[in-house]
Amino acid sequence: MKDIITLGIESSCDETSVAIVKNGREVLSNVINTQIEIHTQFGGVVPEIASRKHVENISNVTKQALKEANMTFEDIDIIACTYGPGLVGALLVGVSYAKSLSYALNKPLVGTNHIEGHIAANYITNLDLEPPFLCLIISGGHTHLVHIKNYKDFEILGKTRDDAIGEAFDKVARVIGLGYPGGPKVDKLAKQGQANIALPKTHFDNLDFSFSGIKTAVINLHHKDPQINKANLCASFEKTVTEELIDNTLKAAKSLGIKKIALAGGVSANSYIRNSFESLKKDGYEIFYPNIKLCTDNAAMIASAGYYNYINGKISNLTLNAIPNLKLE
Ligand code: KG4
Ligand code: ZN
């Protein structure tokens, strides 16, 4: 069978990224231009600035991706881009760029769901991973427990009722003075602490999550006693949210009889969460994660998800638009 080369474009938040991926799993290049330094000054992503930076960068990032893959536009078979969920202005830059490439080069366009991209990051890192499996997508914008039935059918088993888990990490970090983006900073500081502070854990009858209660509890403890040991606070926060993640994931795994569990999204880079899921291997579970670089936003994961959409006949046309609240279905 002829190889299929996908050019993937990601611009849903503060990373402008373009990647070239062969047959959905082999990354030939994955250029990521992050705007973190710019947004750090504001304590979070400023949507208007993000859009402007995407416009400035997208063409050069694309050229660099082609150069690193040693390819030209002629070598590309399909163009995949994130069309949601995300910041509308940021998404529009990638979608418009992808549409113009598709039109000018006369190559198929594949609009791709950003969350499906996070799931597909696992296909790149774990070459043997095939559906069905459970995927826990934990990122700055999403917390979803999903049954991946095959490459195109997903069932959402549970999701957050309030904050995404990454939002909670970022907010806790901001309030206790660690800065933005908070997740990696909480991860680092927690290693020096003890999880010895009791925090509220949420339980629902179904597989939903909630992180706003624990976030508020951490913030209140810090406000009440600014001298509180921040490392212990971070360690306790991580332990409590991880228990919530594991409880729901195991409940789903047991009821569906699934032994394969994959993590995805920026928060799956967290070392405590990884180690905790790793310990489930002793109970016969297979645990998968993307490489750290593929956990946070990147275009290789979009190219991979786009490839699977394409071979399953999910192809877009030039009416493709950005959908900021696009659901996984
Ligand atoms: O997947 P991502 O790049 O963007 C979204 O699609 O939302 O995730 C970004 C999130 C941020 O909240 C960031 O703080 C968090 O991932 N994150 C981490 C770690 N690295 C990134 N959270 C906890 N521990 C980490 N090591
Ligand atoms: Zn993301």
Side-chain angles (χ1 to χ4, degrees):
M1 214 168 74
K2 184 192 169 301
D3 288 334
I4 296 180
I5 306 292
T6 307
L7 182 139
I9 299 175
E10 158 62 32
S11 71
S12 66
C13 191
D14 58 347
E15 264 90 32
T16 318
S17 179
V18 177
I20 297 177
V21 174
K22 188 163 133 185
N23 300 330
R25 298 226 183 198
E26 189 185 332
V27 179
L28 305 180
S29 65
N30 186 21
V31 180
I32 305 169
N33 181 298
T34 180
Q35 308 172 4
I36 284 182
E37 241 174 68
I38 300 158
H39 298 287
T40 297
Q41 305 164 50
F42 304 98
V45 178
V46 183
E48 177 62 25
I49 296 177
S51 316
R52 284 165 193 247
K53 288 288 157 194
H54 286 310
V55 172
E56 274 173 34
N57 292 330
I58 196 153
S59 175
N60 282 334
V61 171
T62 306
K63 280 188 199 145
Q64 185 65 25
L66 286 167
K67 191 172 157 203
E68 287 182 19
N70 205 10
M71 286 189 166
T72 69
F73 281 127
E74 289 314 307
D75 300 310
I76 303 300
D77 296 303
I78 54 179
I79 317 278
C81 69
T82 304
Y83 73 110
L87 301 168
V88 67
L91 287 166
L92 271 172
V93 178
V95 168
S96 312
Y97 194 76
K99 278 161 63 166
S100 33
L101 283 184
S102 163
Y103 181 67
L105 303 170
N106 196 22
K107 314 253 169 167
L109 174 70
V110 184
T112 300
N113 185 312
H114 181 80
I115 306 173
E116 280 181 45
H118 277 299
I119 298 166
N122 277 290
Y123 296 139
I124 298 172
T125 304
N126 307 290
L127 295 179
D128 300 334
L129 177 64
E130 300 271 355
F133 59 93
L134 282 180
C135 189
L136 183 64
I137 300 129
I138 42 179
S139 75
H142 316 281
T143 312
H144 282 44
L145 179 59
V146 183
H147 179 194
I148 314 297
K149 297 180 173 178
N150 54 45
Y151 286 103
K152 63 181 198 332
D153 294 309
F154 312 98
E155 184 186 358
I156 299 177
L157 305 170
K159 57 182 184 305
T160 180
R161 293 194 181 179
D162 39 58
D163 295 353
I165 186 168
E167 245 176 298
F169 266 95
D170 292 339
K171 190 70 194 289
V172 162
R174 175 148 35 134
V175 170
I176 66 174
L178 302 182
Y180 168 87
K185 296 188 168 131
V186 171
D187 191 347
K188 198 164 163 211
L189 187 58
K191 287 190 181 136
Q192 299 162 28
Q194 301 292 325
N196 56 7
I197 301 170
L199 293 168
K201 207 167 106 181
T202 317
H203 283 291
F204 296 117
D205 290 339
N206 62 11
L207 296 171
D208 281 349
F209 302 92
S210 164
F211 299 104
S212 84
I214 179 173
K215 174 193 76 181
T216 309
V218 171
I219 293 169
N220 287 345
L221 281 169
H222 180 257
H223 282 159
K224 231 185 276 168
D225 174 13
Q227 304 306 319
I228 195 166
N229 184 306
K230 289 179 185 171
N232 291 350
L233 206 51
C234 289
S236 307
F237 170 77
E238 276 188 354
K239 178 169 181 279
T240 314
V241 296
T242 304
E243 279 169 9
E244 193 172 326
L245 297 176
I246 289 195
D247 286 354
N248 279 5
T249 307
L250 285 185
K251 250 194 262 172
K254 284 176 187 154
S255 81
L256 292 167
I258 293 180
K259 286 283 189 182
K260 285 199 255 182
I261 298 170
L263 302 188
V267 181
S268 66
N270 183 274
S271 53
Y272 182 84
I273 295 177
R274 282 186 176 228
N275 290 337
S276 306
F277 274 85
E278 194 66 17
S279 72
L280 300 179
K281 285 185 174 168
K282 67 177 179 339
D283 302 319
Y285 289 97
E286 281 183 88
I287 309 292
F288 302 90
Y289 328 84
N291 283 338
I292 297 281
K293 194 183 167 199
L294 296 171
C295 287
T296 44
D297 292 349
N298 68 87
M301 68 184 199
I302 301 302
S304 174
Y307 165 84
Y308 286 107
N309 280 335
Y310 176 74
I311 60 172
N312 283 294
K314 282 190 177 176
I315 302 168
S316 313
N317 59 37
L318 294 177
T319 64
L320 183 73
N321 203 353
I323 305 184
N325 59 354
L326 181 69
K327 301 279 179 281
L328 186 68
E329 51 190 9

